[in-house]
Structures are given as C-alpha cells and as structure tokens.
Amino acid sequence: MLIDEDAWGLPEQWWQGLHPRRGGRPAPSPAEGDPEERLREYLATDRARERRERILGRFIEYDAGLLATDPDTPLGAAVAVLTTGAVPLVDAWVARFGVSFVAEAVGEAFRLAGSDALWRCRGGEFERLWRGEDFQRAWVAARALRRHLAVVPDDVDDILAGFRTSPAGRILSSYLMPTRVDWVGDDCAAAAGWGDGPEQWAWADHRHLRGALVLSASRPEHLESLRGAITDAVLGYRDMGVVATVLDGVGPAAAKYLAEPFYMRLFQLEDDRWESRELLGESGIRIMAGTPDDDAMRVLLRHTLDGQRIRPGQLLKSGALKRYPGRALRVLAERDDAVSRDLALAVSATGSSAPSAGSGWAALLDDPRTCFDSADDQKRAVGALAALPAESAFGLLLDRVERKYFRQALLAAAKRDPGLAVRVLASRDTDPAVSELLRDHVLRYPACLAALDPGARARVQALTGVVAADPSAPAAPALIPGPSRAVALPEWLIPARLPAGPLSPADVRRLCQLLVASRIGAMKPELDQVRQLGDFAGFAWEIFEQWRAADYPAKTTLAMTALAAFGDDSTVRALTALLPEWSSVSSRVRTTMEVFAAIGTDAALTQLDRLSRSAKTAGFRRAAAGRLTAVAEARGLRPEQLADRILPDFGLDADGWLALDYGSRRFTVGFDEQLQPWVADDTGRRVTRLPRPTDDVSAAAHRRFAELKKEAKTVGAERVRAIEEAMVTERRWTPGEFRRYLIGHPLTWQLTQRLLWVAFDGDAVAGVFRVAEDRSFADLDDKEWVLPESVTVGVAHPWHFAGDRDVWAALVADYAIIQPFPQVGRELTGRSEVDVPSFTGEAVPGRRLFVLSARGWQFTGGHGSLVRYFPGGHTVEINYSPGYHWQEPDVPKRLDGVTGLDGLGPIAFSEVIRDIRYLTSP
C-alpha cells in the first residue's frame, strides 16, 4: 500500500475543536434539528433562566432603552447575547435572518462589551470582572458565527468593515473572515502596537482579544508578526483545536514556528517539568509527528535525540518514522550520525550485512553519560536496536543480554526472524550462556534449523537434542481441543520445556493457546476438561518461571492466568515469597491477589485476608479486601465468616499437638496459652530446641517445625486482633459456628479458653460464660453451664458483665488465666463519665495514630483524620493537625475534635473514648 506522505497525522479529536474557515478543513456538522426549536428548549430550562437572572441581577445600572431594544434587530440581538449568552441564539438567528444579520449583531455585542453603553457599574469594584464576562459571551457568539461563515457564500465584508474603526473591531473582523488576507496581514502587523496605553476592561480589552488573530493566520509571515505580540486569553488552556486551526490556516509550514519558545508557551506545548521547559512536551511531539513537513521532522528529531536528556521513546512511539518514511530518510541523512543511520536502516526495513548496524544505539546505551528522560525511553532504545534486521545488531543484543531490557528485546528479535537469530547464536555456541539461549531458541522454533548450513545444523542438533520432525510419523491423539481462533504464543515461552505429563507436544501447545485466550475470572471452558487429566500446578509454575526469566514482559498475562487456572497451595507459598520483591510493581501485586482469589484454597484465601489487613499500601489493602469480599459473597458469607473458615490447622490434631518424625526419635509439638510452640521428646520431657538434623528425615522435620513456628506466630497474632475486633464490633456466632471454628480449631482453641463469652437471646444477654479446659462451659459460680442452641454467641465486653466484674476478675486470677488482650480489666466509660470536648487541643504523638490504624481505624485520604466504622452504619472520625505523614511520624499533632459519637451504642462509645485516651495520654 502506497503511503501518502502529505497526509496529516494529528488525532481526529483535535480537528473537532477547529475554528473553521472557507476553503479549509471541514468543520464538525452542526447539531441536528430545528435551530429555533433548540433555542426555545434552551430558554425554557432552569439553567437559562438562572443565568439571565444572575446577569441582570448584577450590581450595575443598565440602560433601560437598550434592554428594551427589539431582539429582532442586530442591536437588540447584541443585547440578548450579552444578557443570555446562548450559542443556540446564533444558530436560530442564522436560520431566521441569515449570517449578515448575525455578523452585525456580533459586531455590536463586542462594541457594547467594550464600552459603558449597555451598563455602568455603581460601585466599580467588580467592573473588570463583569465586563470580562460580557466579553466571553460575545466571544462565544463570534466563534459560533465563524462556523456558519465557513460554509455559506454570503458576503459580509461590508458589514464587518464598518466595525474596523477600533482595534477590537479589526481583530473581530479578521477572526470572522480569515480569508481576507489583507485585513489579517494589516492587523497582525499592527498587533504589537496595540499593547500601548493603560489596560481598560481586563478580558474585554483589545490587547487580550488580539490573541484571536493567530486563529486567522494563513501565512508564515502572519506568525512572524504575532511573535511576542499576543496573549492566550481567548485561546484556552492546551486547546489543541486552536493549534489545529493554526496548522489548517498556515499549513505544515507553521510547525517550525510552534516549536519556538514563544509559541510553545502560548499554546502550552512545552514539557511540564521545569528543568525541561525548553523541550516540546507530549502534545508538541504529537504535532511534529503528525505534520507532513521536513522542518517538523527536523524539530521532532532535535527535541527527542539531542540535548542533555534524550527521549527516543517519544520519537519511536510517535509513529512519525513509519508515517513519513521518505521524509524521515531525507532528514536522517542530513544528520548523518550513528543513531540516525540506525534509524534510517529501521525505516528502510531492509536487511544489512554492514558490521556497523546497531552501533549507534549500542554506543548510546553503553555510554554512562547518556541520560534517558525515562525508563521507557531506555527500554524503547533497546527495542530499536532489536528491531534492526541485521546480524550485527542481534549480536550486540546478545553481548548485553544480562542487562535490563535486553533479554526481552532479544527474544522479540528472535521471534521476528528465527533464522537470523539461530545463525548468530550458532556462531557463538562455545559460550555456555549462549548455548543455553541457542537450545531454548531451537526448542521454540525448530524450523529455524533450515537457516543453517548442514555442518552447523548437525552441530546444533547434537547440542540441543532437537531433530527435524518426521512428517510420516502418525500424530498423537488430541486430548485437548484448541481455541476457536488462532492465538500467538509469547516469544519467551518454550512449550517444549514444560512438564507435559500425559500431553503430546501438540496438546501442550494447544493448552498454552487456551491459557493465552483466557483471562483470570474468564477462563476458557475447555480448561475444565484439562483439569480432569491430572495436576497441572507444576506446568503452570514452569510457565511462570519462563516469564520470570524473561524479566516479566508485560504484553501478556499468560503466566498469571496459568497460575490462576492450575495453581495450588505450593503456588500460593511461592508467590507470597515474591510479594516483597514486587512491592513497587502495583499491577503485578494486584494480579497476584486475583490469582489467590481464583485458586480459592484455604491457604490462598488466608493470604488474601492477610494482605487485606497488612499489605504495604492502603490501595493494596483495599484491593485485597475487595477480592476477599467478592469470594465471601460468592459463598454466601461475610468476610469475617470466611476468615474463620479458611484458618489453617497446620496439621495439628484436635488437642493442638503435632508429631514430628525425626527418624529414630519422635517429638511432639504443642502450643501454650501465648501460642508459643513447645517441643517434648518421646518420654514427654520438654526440650528447649530440636536436635540438629542428621539425615533427610530429620531435616524435613526440622524445616516443618521452623515453618510451623513462623506461620503460627503470624496467624496467632491475626486471630487475636480478629477476636478483639469481634468484641468491639459486637460480632456474633451461632452455637454450631462457635463450637466448630473457635472451640474446635486446634490453634484458636488456645485463645477461646482464655476469654469470657456472652450468649444472646435476641438482643438480651442470656448469660456470660467461659470455656473450661475440657471444653465444657462454666458460669460465674464456676458451675457447668449449658449453651442453648437458640442463642447467639459473642465475645463478652465488660459492659455485658459490669455488675459482676470483680467476681469474674477473681475467677480469672484463680485459674491463672492470661488473657490475649485486655477484657476483664478493660477500661469502661459511659457517656456521663467523660467530657468529650475536653480532649480538643490535646497533644497527640504521631506514632500513636499509626498504632490505631492497626486497631480498626483507617486514615482518610489526606491523612488528616482517622475513621472507624461501627455496626448500624455509624462512622466516628478523629480529626487532628497537622496531617500524618509516614516519612515524619514523630511530628507532634493536636487533636482537633471527634465527630460521629451521637447514636453510638455503649460498647462502641466506650471503645472510642479508650482509643482517644490512648492518643492523648502522656
């Protein structure tokens, strides 16, 4: 297909904001329907009524005669523009009276806006502002009129000429009729002189209006004249329709002017960063890349490849080199440096045997003085080297394959031309690292062996073990159906190295294609059939390892999708170990959460629950909580109910013991009331530590104990927090849930027997009890107590047993029970016992705010307050100043107040006061 190198390449939406002109690019079609009907509909709206009332209600003195002018006259229409400000007015008048009428009306509107004929300000305080508002309404009408003038043949020159008696009238006439090049030329030349004298009406002053002249420019000399003489008052902020208008009027020759400092500032085309303000920003780059002009190409190359900070990524992703290849080759030849020669080779898309191919990019990437503007620029420079169709360029990649970005680029280049890649790899196969790459490459692309001469082919086959396929060999029966459409596999994947199990090579390839076509949460139904064939967790993990070895290319989700489809608890453990390493890669961490939710085992959901409370950032915590909630809802549960059900038992028996096989000896592991593990030998004597392992059996047991100790410590701390939270939020369990998940769990049992519990009959307290060592229930008198099946159970709060608190305290002391958190001795505060406003102004140590954030409170968006949500839809907020910042945790704070206490129940109120006292205590 022939490329039209004279075609514009600007985004289509930029042209939508065009200020059209006769003979120029067509403007967007006007709104459909009857213009007068649209006007009537607009005037009937509350918005139109309120706007007119606001305008007429300004503290000014209107000329009653002008306000009463017939709106069917140009002067009356001008008054309507200034007191209504509706674009539909212009469309309706054009339909009823024609463009000549509207041209005169708009001229009168500008005359009135720039004088005191229509109104005078009584106090003068807001006059500049209100005249500016009038001017803006007149300007909107002028812009709407220009759209009509661009498509009708009517001659309004004589009408507009009548307004060319003042600078503002001249600017307006040139804007409305940009094809009057004589007017435009005279006015552009005069614009610089219109800045003299005192400013009159702010935005309505002609020195601001003269910016509209750039929208009338049709020759480079017009831009020459306006340089330094206009402002952006009527041009908007980064309105690319304005830039498109200049390019439409002047043509491609305008591009080089847009790269000048004045016009870069005028149209906000410069880079946003202060240290790079002399460079074109993203929009400026797109302009140069989409303008069919040699000077635009020169500017583009200069602003991306020259200077202290280079931006090859901006150049390459702009598409200019592909859009205008002939122009690119001409300009690159003018530059004649090594990088330009490499770019020209890529543009020409012809192979090269020159040993220097790629040397420009390689030297740039190797030079420690090279300062890339961003990581993306460096990555795309590596990609540009990989894109060169030359063996020398591939060799340069190979020399640097261990450096960042190069492995991915090398794999992409090898996929693009497997024959070229195998020739280079085979020529260096004495290097062990290259031999490994060669083996993987031939496994990926067996057909590439045909690119080698017979001797080299035999040597590579001997090295890799890959032989040419026998076309006469019968195909193995397909166990897996392929996807319904062709699916390309990523270049880093080596299907031949995946553990195939019962699958043939063709089945392995089809399975990989099914995974590529799937998404987490939207798996292909054929994968259900695959699961019936066996365990593919190892298969999925090998895909992940290949993705990891290729430095995690982001173009495909194959690896994480495979883990979601076939992962198991070993997958969860392995991914969890990688999360700290990935903490700065948000997308990968969030995808891992999706994988955990898809695997759905207790271990996976436990890890997701842990992330929802202890992930590094609030965003990660919210993401994990959201996925956990979705899983819980799918199972008809609340998140806290799901957390009960997924709690691991660590292989402990009902009594909380675990037998460790140490070969010739056996040890028993249990947990004390502090959830600290203890170890006893086969005689029952406790030992301080396990003996040093002497064989594989004892080594495995030793590792098992170390893992158990670490995991139980984490889970135990989480359970303590969860049960304390259940007390504060008044969570309840059914008797069956209480027995199964709290008494029956071998680890949670240790906590359950050290707390008091309360039974509810509806909302009334039916009894407070504890769980004895034999797992029976005992009341205040230490007598056996029967738990009715009709009640619900909660963690007792001191408010539930306030009258018997001393008795319960004595009982807990008699049994030497050490509670996992303050319960019997917990502070209890009623509303009449505290003056909440008295806390305002108290000093707050910054680190205590962070402690509360781990006890059920959450920082708000600006970290200027903590909020906590209680049952019944109640939200309590603690405000303080200055805001908390993790980099300055010790900065003193001051409590500014507490809101949301009204309507709180006695338990929630007491807990809030307890936390406030913690914050403000010395």
Side-chain angles (χ1 to χ4, degrees), residues 579-580 582-584 589 593 610-611 613-621 850 886:
L579 285 176
W582 293 350
S583 60
S584 61
V589 174
M593 295 177 189
R610 190 168 298 156
L611 287 170
R613 286 177 282 102
S614 58
K616 184 176 181 180
T617 67
F620 286 164
R621 293 193 291 273
F850 185 75
W886 64 272

Side-chain angles (χ1 to χ4, degrees), residues 158 220 244 275 312 330 368 488 492 598 636-637 678 763 792 855:
D158 291 343
E275 70 273 17
R330 284 197 305 273
W492 50 264
L637 302 169
W678 51 259
D763 289 328
T792 56
R855 284 166 40 176

Side-chain angles (χ1 to χ4, degrees), residues 610 649-652 658 660 669-672 674-679 687-690 700-718 747:
R610 190 168 298 156
D649 61 14
F650 307 110
L652 304 174
L658 173 68
L660 286 180
V669 178
F671 291 86
D672 61 20
Q674 300 299 318
L675 296 185
Q676 295 296 317
W678 51 259
V679 181
V687 297
T688 56
R689 63 177 64 88
L690 287 171
H702 197 277
R703 285 194 301 272
R704 174 80 187 280
F705 176 71
E707 292 171 358
L708 172 64
K709 185 177 180 180
K710 178 181 178 181
E711 187 69 7
K713 180 180 180 181
T714 301
V715 171
E718 291 171 351
L747 195 64

